[in-house]
Amino acid sequence: MKLAILASLLASAAAFAPAKSAVKSATSLKAFEEELGSQPPLGYFDPLGLVADGNQSNFDRLRYVEIKHGRIAMLAVVGYLITEAGVRLPGNIDFSGTSFSDIPSGFDAVSSLSSGALLQLFGFIGFLEVFVMKDITGGEFIGDFRNDFIDYGWDTFDEDTKLQKRGIELNQGRAAMMGILALMVHEKLGVSLIPN
């Protein structure tokens, strides 16, 4: 018993001893610290080491997916809150007379739709994924889906403003991904989202 206590004391003391600092490759570990999204307070944050090897194409693919999911999450949060507040489209959703107001909000909406409606929904999402949500022309940056078609005044901004707006979109998308997750968890917990 005394030996076990002594061993645990030595092990805990060793935890506070100075460790040998390993020489780290500056090119791979610091390759993305200046990229968009490396913002205070976290800075560059890759806890799983997904791009620890410094692979630029892997980083670009992950950034593209992050931006796309952030945009979808922003739409999801707005749609979730609007339907939870009781706002619905007028008219019927199908030929049998089911109105939009008959469809509940949240997870219950999925189970109340017919299999044909779900097939249309997932078919439309697949169409968007394959044919619309892609960068055809190479774009000015990752996630630039304008494809030389629509501008809305983007080209009138200077480079610093463009970078700032892209950073804002990235952070809002990150917040929305956490927000829609929280909304779904609260719904499953039975917590009312909108006070009566």
Side-chain angles (χ1 to χ4, degrees):
M1 182 67 171
K2 291 179 184 178
L3 187 61
I5 292 173
L6 180 65
S8 64
L9 285 174
L10 289 175
S12 63
F16 296 102
K20 296 178 184 177
S21 60
V23 177
K24 297 179 181 178
S25 171
T27 57
S28 65
L29 293 178
K30 298 186 184 279
F32 306 113
E33 289 194 1
E34 299 300 318
E35 290 285 338
L36 177 71
S38 177
Q39 298 165 336
L42 292 178
Y44 176 68
F45 187 66
D46 183 18
L48 299 178
L50 297 175
V51 290
D53 60 352
N55 185 336
Q56 183 68 42
S57 64
N58 191 22
F59 177 83
D60 290 345
R61 184 185 61 79
L62 291 172
R63 175 53 49 90
Y64 168 80
V65 170
E66 180 183 19
I67 290 171
K68 182 172 70 169
H69 288 148
R71 289 172 180 170
I72 292 167
M74 286 186 267
L75 290 171
V77 167
V78 171
Y80 196 103
L81 293 175
I82 286 175
T83 56
E84 186 69 25
V87 178
R88 301 287 195 279
L89 293 172
N92 294 333
I93 194 169
D94 60 16
F95 293 121
S96 65
T98 306
S99 68
F100 285 101
S101 60
D102 294 337
I103 305 295
S105 60
F107 286 113
D108 295 335
V110 177
S111 61
S112 68
L113 294 175
S114 67
S115 58
L118 289 175
L119 184 66
Q120 289 177 17
L121 177 68
F122 290 119
F124 181 66
I125 291 170
F127 171 79
L128 291 176
E129 185 72 26
V130 173
F131 296 108
V132 177
M133 298 294 289
K134 62 182 185 174
D135 187 1
I136 298 169
T137 62
E140 187 177 329
F141 52 88
I142 298 169
D144 182 7
F145 295 143
R146 294 176 296 155
N147 296 317
D148 295 331
F149 174 67
I150 230 165
D151 186 65
Y152 293 123
W154 178 258
D155 291 332
T156 62
F157 298 130
D158 60 83
E159 291 305 314
D160 289 336
T161 304
K162 287 180 181 180
L163 191 63
Q164 179 189 17
K165 289 186 178 294
R166 288 177 51 215
I168 290 169
E169 179 192 25
L170 191 59
N171 281 333
Q172 293 295 328
R174 290 170 176 171
M177 286 186 270
M178 294 293 104
I180 192 62
L181 177 65
L183 288 171
M184 293 187 305
V185 167
H186 277 82
E187 179 187 338
K188 285 299 183 185
L189 290 175
V191 177
S192 176
L193 300 174
I194 298 180
N196 295 329

